[in-house]
Amino acid sequence: MSLQVGIVGGGPWGLALARAAARTGSKVSMWTRRDTDGGRLIRVTTEYAEIAESRLLILAVPSLVARSVARSLGDHLDGAHLVVHGIRGLGQTSDGPESTHEIETIGDILREETPVRRIGALGGPVQADELHTGTASALVVGSHYPEVTAAVTKALSGPWLRVYSTHDLRGLEWASAMVGCMSIGVGFAKAAGAGPGLLAALISRAVHDAGRIAVVAGAEEATMYGLGGYGDLLASIALDQRPEVVVGRALAQGKTIDQAVDEAKLRVEAIDLIPRVCAFAKSHGVQAPAFEGLSRMLEGHRGEEILGKFFQG
Amino acid sequence: MKSSVPPIFGFNDAREDIVRDVVDRVVASTTDPLLALNDAAYHEIKRLETSRRPKDQEQLAEWQRLARTLGRMTNGERVEHLRELANEYGLDVAGNFDPRVYKASTRILPSVVTALLAPRTFASKLRHPKELLSLDSLADKVKVEGSIERVRRLSETGALVFVPTHLSNMDSIVFGYALERAGLPPATYGAGKNLFTNPILSFFMHNLGAYRVDRRLRHALYKDVLKTYSCVLLERGYHSLFFPGGTRSRSGGIERRLKLGLVGSAIEAYARSVRAGRERPVYFIPSTINYLITLEAETLIRDYLSETGKSRFIIEDDESSRLSRVASFARKLLGMDGAVVIRFGEPIDCFGNRVDEEGHSLDRRGRRVEMSSYVKDPNGDVVLDAARDAEYTREVGEEICKAYVRETVIMSTHVVAAAALARLRQASPRPDLFTVMRQRDGLLIPRDELAADVRALKDRLLEKEKRGEVVCGDFVRSASGGDLLEQALRAFAGYHTNPVLESRREGVSVQDPMLLFYYQNRLASHGLAWDVLGGGHSRPTALGAAAPSLGGSR
């Protein structure tokens, strides 16, 4: 029996996921407010009730609207739905006990705003255009529920796409979000003239920071070093057109954040996230010099200056 | 009024049926009888080899014979052996429930306790037999509160699983009494077989619906029988009681890590009932049992410290096996109003959701959710899935822990201990646990200052209570700092070997830092006391390492 898959969000990423699912023979519908032509294989709807008829739902909306979308969608869901999100971002920051900052994940938001328990997330190096055209690549699905990973694998995997899985949902969510942040650094460093040795050193140190941060966020460190973390970040080195890399390059060329975002064309979640991750690390007593370096990039500091500070610390 | 009689009153008739169900299910689910029997034989031989009792020797020989012949048996013979063993264990676990004895014992329970505690009152009451038989005589001393109405209503449509905090061996009796007082039917309860040898407890245990758990048996087959037994009982609508802490809290603190094997059975029981087309919801009732003083406090805290401190402290015997200690404890309790509070928390379904008045599941946004949807796959079929249920179990556990914090009832002894220990810690040369615990020369705290500290702590508690983060005992809510101090001093004096705190003319003298630590730990999860247990770790591996994070006392 073919699986019925619902994609929530009609942006380039949502459309790419819809294409990938349709390619495996799944019945695909897509919820979007945009005027989108899904083609022959994708049924487009603007009604949450209609998209909820699919039992496997994939959320592909910007993190800023994730909560409101989840809340509205939640009216039409029950405990039998499986919901995963492909959002490379995190939710709001709130104050935890002992005046620490806490950052919720999109998974946390789904848990709060819907009755669904069988929740998961997508991550890994696969790019929208690879999904779109069916170029061979790999993605990671994270969920505590084996049913979820099984359903996502069934819906998306084929000779062109390998789906790996992890039970460390939180780890995958944090890894994806932090890889977004670090990719800005990759773009910046390359444009600022960093050689392969320096680039490798910066990336390794940053991943090390990210691993420690993930642990205090309640994730497993190993996830950061896997395909959803390190693996995803490696792709950034080669992907000159990855939006985060574009932003980093523009910043290195002395452009403002607004100009950099214009160049990237797509939303870059990491820009808001970098200072919040720094504040999170600081409030938990975690040293994260590489992330502080990323923060300085956004503030408009020059490469040599950032590097000097980083090497001294 | 209720039309249906709670199933437990028909237990003896259903007993054989239940055991048969259990045995059938265990045998059917054992995919490899050879492995199961080998495992049982291995563990039993290992256990029995160390015993010299003739009966054990006999059993040992039997197991050895079985182990030798297992390899040559046909599969059919193995299944037969498996069935026999499962049946034997099933019968051993099932025990008895006699409604007549139940009625009689719940009636005489208060008077037995009264007799133990206050022989004089008992004598005077003998002249008024009616008064003797009323449960009201205990009512002032033992308070039963919380979501009683809701719990009662849910008990008519679903199977309830009571999951209280665990401090004392008195708990199962006290909780049994609370059920009776709340107008709830008795709950089945898996009690350690060792408790049945305790002369004081066994009488009540047998008759309050307890079944026997033999903790010496460690093999998978026995655990399977136990798990299946509790599952079958829930499917049949029996309410049950278990302590998810697994054992009495050694530290005196609220449980932060739970043993949730039975939560898994509850979810399975529910899923099976849906699959069989006769859905019976299972609800968890997180509850707290709160004592002004704890019967076994001295033994428990020494045990806690000895394990963390690696044999720096000696473990003593347990107070609950000594009649004189139980009697003096009970006398103490009956001397003080509201000395025990049993509080029923808000019911949750077996997936950790809140439920509304009618027992419908609600998601975190307060929307009604079809309960059965959680055990269905995307095609709408009911599936039993252990991996899925393990996740639900984890979430239920988190909800229970949160409920424990919210529903803890704080008493004067806890507040006063927290205030006094904070003083002792300030006066200690170093603020780590063992240095503080070694301060034995009786720090003297001026009474006014201690009362003021208590008052300040109480104000913070009231703030927290307003936000629904804790519950204050009646006396804590109304009394002044000085009165709280007086009540705590009275409660500490006379029962514990050391008076904990001693009232002197010049002030209050600290006599037993360990017991102060024990009683203040009740507030540790609320951020109002020294949180050595901290950060979700039930037992710090190295207390030195915990020192930097001891900012909890503020």
Side-chain angles (χ1 to χ4, degrees), chain B residues 272-310:
Chain B
R272 282 178 185 273
S273 81
V274 177
R275 197 173 63 173
R278 42 178 170 74
E279 177 179 1
R280 189 193 299 274
V282 177
Y283 302 106
F284 284 88
I285 320 292
S287 311
T288 58
I289 305 176
N290 307 277
Y291 296 96
L292 193 58
I293 51 172
T294 309
L295 173 66
E296 307 100 311
E298 291 164 46
T299 308
L300 293 174
I301 194 62
R302 272 171 185 76
D303 191 27
Y304 173 81
L305 291 168
S306 73
E307 247 180 67
T308 43
K310 299 270 175 275

Side-chain angles (χ1 to χ4, degrees), chain B residues 403-440:
Chain B
Y404 282 170
V405 176
R406 286 196 306 267
E407 308 286 350
T408 305
V409 181
I410 302 300
M411 302 189 180
S412 60
T413 45
H414 309 130
V415 186
V416 170
L421 194 69
R423 286 276 176 158
L424 186 67
R425 213 172 140 220
Q426 280 163 17
S428 167
R430 274 187 303 140
D432 69 282
L433 181 59
F434 285 104
T435 311
V436 176
M437 288 301 105
R438 274 195 297 263
Q439 305 300 304
R440 299 280 175 106

Side-chain angles (χ1 to χ4, degrees), chain A residues 101 103 213 273-284 286 288-296:
Chain A
H101 295 305
I103 300 179
I213 293 169
L273 201 55
I274 287 170
R276 288 168 52 211
V277 171
C278 287
F280 172 83
K282 199 172 174 193
S283 84
H284 284 271
V286 177
F291 274 78
E292 275 158 31
L294 291 173
S295 203
R296 281 191 205 99

